[in-house]
Amino acid sequence: TQLLEQSPQFLSIQEGENLTVYCNSSSVFSSLQWYRQEPGEGPVLLVTVVTGGEVKKLKRLTFQFGDARKDSSLHITAAQPGDTGLYLCAGATGANNLFFGTGTRLTVIP
Amino acid sequence: DTGVSQDPRHKITKRGQNVTFRCDPISEHNRLYWYRQTLGQGPEFLTYFQNEAQLEKSRLLSDRFSAERPKGSFSTLEIQRTEQGDSAMYLCASSLGFANTGELFFGEGSRLTVL
């Protein structure tokens, strides 16, 4: 059972366009992480957000943690083909578990 | 290479056979996770170790699945009496610390195909 639902599931855009990926849950998380995964590889951490309402920027990527710590968003400005991949949010509950979202597969067309 | 390594990378087996996957975490990492991932989906949490203690195993998919980390270093994931539905990528990850806000470092995974 996935606690975290991501939308959209698939996204195909032209180079230079902006996009937003959403990660939603009915559960409250102590922290939330975003990972990117490329084919044949394991996920790689992009960012961790801990405080409700927190916004973090990583070059063209902007991450926001919802005020209630139940949701998050990832916004990419001026997407590039190198941004292509599977984007995963992951929420921490309790002390031991880190649950991943359903994933958003992004394709940026040159 | 000092990253997380998994072995084998690919395993093809017949239904009913047992398979074992090995994970060698980053050497100083005390936390080790196992996940299962099917094509295009997010990783599904299976189990977690802190040092040699298995602190969460209720998410293991059935009693055919078991995991060990006998000396707090490498870990094994065994699937007994494999079924076609077990076909998936099995990912191992490790992290440092005592909270689950740390970065998880993933291996490249072990892909299982059950015929």
Side-chain angles (χ1 to χ4, degrees), chain A residues 78-91:
Chain A
Q80 299 178 359
D83 296 328
T84 294
L86 180 66
Y87 287 81
L88 297 159
C89 62

PDB file of all heavy atoms in Angstrom, chain A residues 78-91:
ATOM      1  N   ALA A  78      12.458  25.764 -16.734  1.00  0.00           N
ATOM      2  CA  ALA A  78      13.256  25.611 -17.969  1.00  0.00           C
ATOM      3  C   ALA A  78      13.869  24.219 -18.052  1.00  0.00           C
ATOM      4  O   ALA A  78      15.101  24.062 -18.038  1.00  0.00           O
ATOM      5  CB  ALA A  78      14.326  26.696 -18.040  1.00  0.00           C
ATOM      6  N   ALA A  79      13.003  23.225 -18.134  1.00  0.00           N
ATOM      7  CA  ALA A  79      13.454  21.830 -18.120  1.00  0.00           C
ATOM      8  C   ALA A  79      14.442  21.555 -19.257  1.00  0.00           C
ATOM      9  O   ALA A  79      14.341  22.104 -20.357  1.00  0.00           O
ATOM     10  CB  ALA A  79      12.255  20.901 -18.225  1.00  0.00           C
ATOM     11  N   GLN A  80      15.381  20.665 -18.941  1.00  0.00           N
ATOM     12  CA  GLN A  80      16.391  20.259 -19.901  1.00  0.00           C
ATOM     13  C   GLN A  80      16.340  18.749 -20.075  1.00  0.00           C
ATOM     14  O   GLN A  80      15.880  18.038 -19.192  1.00  0.00           O
ATOM     15  CB  GLN A  80      17.771  20.682 -19.397  1.00  0.00           C
ATOM     16  CG  GLN A  80      17.918  22.190 -19.233  1.00  0.00           C
ATOM     17  CD  GLN A  80      19.258  22.608 -18.682  1.00  0.00           C
ATOM     18  OE1 GLN A  80      20.118  21.759 -18.386  1.00  0.00           O
ATOM     19  NE2 GLN A  80      19.456  23.905 -18.525  1.00  0.00           N
ATOM     20  N   PRO A  81      16.826  18.241 -21.219  1.00  0.00           N
ATOM     21  CA  PRO A  81      16.794  16.787 -21.427  1.00  0.00           C
ATOM     22  C   PRO A  81      17.469  16.000 -20.306  1.00  0.00           C
ATOM     23  O   PRO A  81      17.063  14.896 -19.988  1.00  0.00           O
ATOM     24  CB  PRO A  81      17.539  16.618 -22.760  1.00  0.00           C
ATOM     25  CG  PRO A  81      17.267  17.889 -23.491  1.00  0.00           C
ATOM     26  CD  PRO A  81      17.278  18.969 -22.422  1.00  0.00           C
ATOM     27  N   GLY A  82      18.465  16.571 -19.675  1.00  0.00           N
ATOM     28  CA  GLY A  82      19.135  15.917 -18.554  1.00  0.00           C
ATOM     29  C   GLY A  82      18.264  15.758 -17.328  1.00  0.00           C
ATOM     30  O   GLY A  82      18.628  15.023 -16.400  1.00  0.00           O
ATOM     31  N   ASP A  83      17.109  16.423 -17.306  1.00  0.00           N
ATOM     32  CA  ASP A  83      16.175  16.274 -16.178  1.00  0.00           C
ATOM     33  C   ASP A  83      15.316  15.026 -16.326  1.00  0.00           C
ATOM     34  O   ASP A  83      14.589  14.658 -15.393  1.00  0.00           O
ATOM     35  CB  ASP A  83      15.249  17.496 -16.081  1.00  0.00           C
ATOM     36  CG  ASP A  83      16.001  18.782 -15.773  1.00  0.00           C
ATOM     37  OD1 ASP A  83      17.024  18.729 -15.062  1.00  0.00           O
ATOM     38  OD2 ASP A  83      15.567  19.852 -16.271  1.00  0.00           O
ATOM     39  N   THR A  84      15.387  14.371 -17.470  1.00  0.00           N
ATOM     40  CA  THR A  84      14.596  13.166 -17.707  1.00  0.00           C
ATOM     41  C   THR A  84      14.902  12.105 -16.661  1.00  0.00           C
ATOM     42  O   THR A  84      16.056  11.864 -16.331  1.00  0.00           O
ATOM     43  CB  THR A  84      14.880  12.626 -19.118  1.00  0.00           C
ATOM     44  OG1 THR A  84      14.394  13.560 -20.073  1.00  0.00           O
ATOM     45  CG2 THR A  84      14.205  11.288 -19.343  1.00  0.00           C
ATOM     46  N   GLY A  85      13.846  11.492 -16.131  1.00  0.00           N
ATOM     47  CA  GLY A  85      14.028  10.438 -15.141  1.00  0.00           C
ATOM     48  C   GLY A  85      12.763  10.180 -14.367  1.00  0.00           C
ATOM     49  O   GLY A  85      11.718  10.787 -14.640  1.00  0.00           O
ATOM     50  N   LEU A  86      12.857   9.289 -13.408  1.00  0.00           N
ATOM     51  CA  LEU A  86      11.733   8.970 -12.516  1.00  0.00           C
ATOM     52  C   LEU A  86      11.939   9.744 -11.220  1.00  0.00           C
ATOM     53  O   LEU A  86      12.941   9.558 -10.534  1.00  0.00           O
ATOM     54  CB  LEU A  86      11.696   7.464 -12.235  1.00  0.00           C
ATOM     55  CG  LEU A  86      10.579   6.965 -11.311  1.00  0.00           C
ATOM     56  CD1 LEU A  86       9.221   7.151 -11.961  1.00  0.00           C
ATOM     57  CD2 LEU A  86      10.794   5.499 -10.960  1.00  0.00           C
ATOM     58  N   TYR A  87      11.005  10.616 -10.902  1.00  0.00           N
ATOM     59  CA  TYR A  87      11.091  11.430  -9.692  1.00  0.00           C
ATOM     60  C   TYR A  87      10.231  10.789  -8.609  1.00  0.00           C
ATOM     61  O   TYR A  87       9.054  10.487  -8.833  1.00  0.00           O
ATOM     62  CB  TYR A  87      10.651  12.868  -9.976  1.00  0.00           C
ATOM     63  CG  TYR A  87      11.678  13.613 -10.788  1.00  0.00           C
ATOM     64  CD1 TYR A  87      11.743  13.466 -12.165  1.00  0.00           C
ATOM     65  CD2 TYR A  87      12.620  14.427 -10.167  1.00  0.00           C
ATOM     66  CE1 TYR A  87      12.708  14.115 -12.908  1.00  0.00           C
ATOM     67  CE2 TYR A  87      13.589  15.089 -10.906  1.00  0.00           C
ATOM     68  CZ  TYR A  87      13.626  14.924 -12.276  1.00  0.00           C
ATOM     69  OH  TYR A  87      14.601  15.573 -13.013  1.00  0.00           O
ATOM     70  N   LEU A  88      10.829  10.623  -7.449  1.00  0.00           N
ATOM     71  CA  LEU A  88      10.184   9.925  -6.343  1.00  0.00           C
ATOM     72  C   LEU A  88      10.210  10.785  -5.090  1.00  0.00           C
ATOM     73  O   LEU A  88      11.263  11.299  -4.716  1.00  0.00           O
ATOM     74  CB  LEU A  88      10.928   8.615  -6.051  1.00  0.00           C
ATOM     75  CG  LEU A  88      10.954   7.569  -7.159  1.00  0.00           C
ATOM     76  CD1 LEU A  88      12.103   6.599  -6.943  1.00  0.00           C
ATOM     77  CD2 LEU A  88       9.638   6.824  -7.218  1.00  0.00           C
ATOM     78  N   CYS A  89       9.052  10.921  -4.449  1.00  0.00           N
ATOM     79  CA  CYS A  89       9.052  11.513  -3.123  1.00  0.00           C
ATOM     80  C   CYS A  89       9.065  10.370  -2.109  1.00  0.00           C
ATOM     81  O   CYS A  89       8.657   9.247  -2.417  1.00  0.00           O
ATOM     82  CB  CYS A  89       7.855  12.429  -2.905  1.00  0.00           C
ATOM     83  SG  CYS A  89       6.239  11.631  -3.003  1.00  0.00           S
ATOM     84  N   ALA A  90       9.554  10.651  -0.925  1.00  0.00           N
ATOM     85  CA  ALA A  90       9.653   9.624   0.114  1.00  0.00           C
ATOM     86  C   ALA A  90       9.417  10.282   1.455  1.00  0.00           C
ATOM     87  O   ALA A  90      10.094  11.246   1.806  1.00  0.00           O
ATOM     88  CB  ALA A  90      11.021   8.944   0.078  1.00  0.00           C
ATOM     89  N   GLY A  91       8.464   9.755   2.206  1.00  0.00           N
ATOM     90  CA  GLY A  91       8.106  10.333   3.488  1.00  0.00           C
ATOM     91  C   GLY A  91       8.545   9.451   4.644  1.00  0.00           C
ATOM     92  O   GLY A  91       8.440   8.224   4.577  1.00  0.00           O
TER      93      GLY A  91
END
